[in-house]
Amino acid sequence: MDEKIDLVFDPDNERAAAYVRDRLSMFNSSQTGKSDYYPCYIFLKGEKNETLGGLLGYVWSDWLFVSTLWVDEALRGKGHATRLMDAAEDYARYRNCHSAYLDTHSFQARPFYERRGYELFATLDDFPPGHQKFFLKKKLAK
């Protein structure tokens, strides 16, 4: 007997999103033998505990993935992004990662990452139209 399966667009359902991510992680672990998933969330906090920036990513299978790096406009150019990246890479080394990877757009921070030793390994043109998305990686020294 075929059961009815609904397709539901629900962008605010973080609980269901976490469930789907967890199930994919379980599958990945079963296929690779690697279950070493560690979130990497590091924040810049102001005097009133307000969030002024942060780095979001994770460690899995001896790699650090940096998914998001943001610093409040008023704090840019003062070394805070460097502090966040240093902390994430230190954490990755602590978790025995050998490399890190991330992506950025042509209107974002590619030169910043390249100064940190990240190297381009792929480019997606016209994403968004008129721009590029760059994928970069770096070997982490022990």
Side-chain angles (χ1 to χ4, degrees):
M1 173 156 74
D2 290 322
E3 64 180 277
K4 182 178 181 261
I5 305 294
D6 293 323
L7 183 66
V8 178
F9 180 75
D10 189 1
D12 296 323
N13 193 338
E14 185 54 41
R15 184 174 181 187
Y19 179 81
V20 170
R21 281 191 301 269
D22 288 348
R23 292 308 161 278
L24 178 60
S25 291
M26 288 172 58
F27 172 79
N28 291 347
S29 294
S30 74
Q31 298 300 304
T32 64
K34 293 292 216 168
S35 60
D36 58 337
Y37 176 88
Y38 303 98
C40 182
Y41 304 153
I42 306 166
F43 302 99
L44 297 172
K45 294 288 191 168
E47 291 178 5
K48 299 174 187 158
N49 202 35
E50 70 275 28
T51 301
L52 300 171
L55 182 148
L56 309 177
Y58 60 83
V59 166
W60 180 68
S61 191
D62 305 325
W63 281 79
L64 166 67
F65 173 58
V66 176
S67 63
T68 304
L69 174 64
W70 172 80
V71 175
D72 186 272
E73 221 172 308
L75 297 177
R76 292 182 190 161
K78 298 179 180 177
H80 297 294
T82 296
R83 290 175 56 212
L84 288 164
M85 289 294 295
D86 286 348
E89 291 175 6
D90 287 347
Y91 179 69
R93 286 183 197 92
Y94 169 78
R95 291 287 178 195
N96 297 312
C97 292
H98 56 75
S99 300
Y101 71 107
L102 52 84
D103 57 72
T104 189
H105 287 92
S106 53
F107 53 86
Q108 292 177 325
R110 179 179 171 185
F112 168 74
Y113 297 119
E114 289 177 330
R115 285 191 302 272
R116 295 189 57 78
Y118 284 80
E119 298 176 352
L120 181 70
F121 70 88
T123 301
L124 186 59
D125 292 325
D126 267 346
F127 183 56
H131 298 279
Q132 296 172 306
K133 186 167 195 164
F134 302 114
F135 299 85
L136 299 106
K137 65 181 178 177
K138 173 183 177 178
K139 286 277 191 198
L140 297 175
K142 294 284 178 177

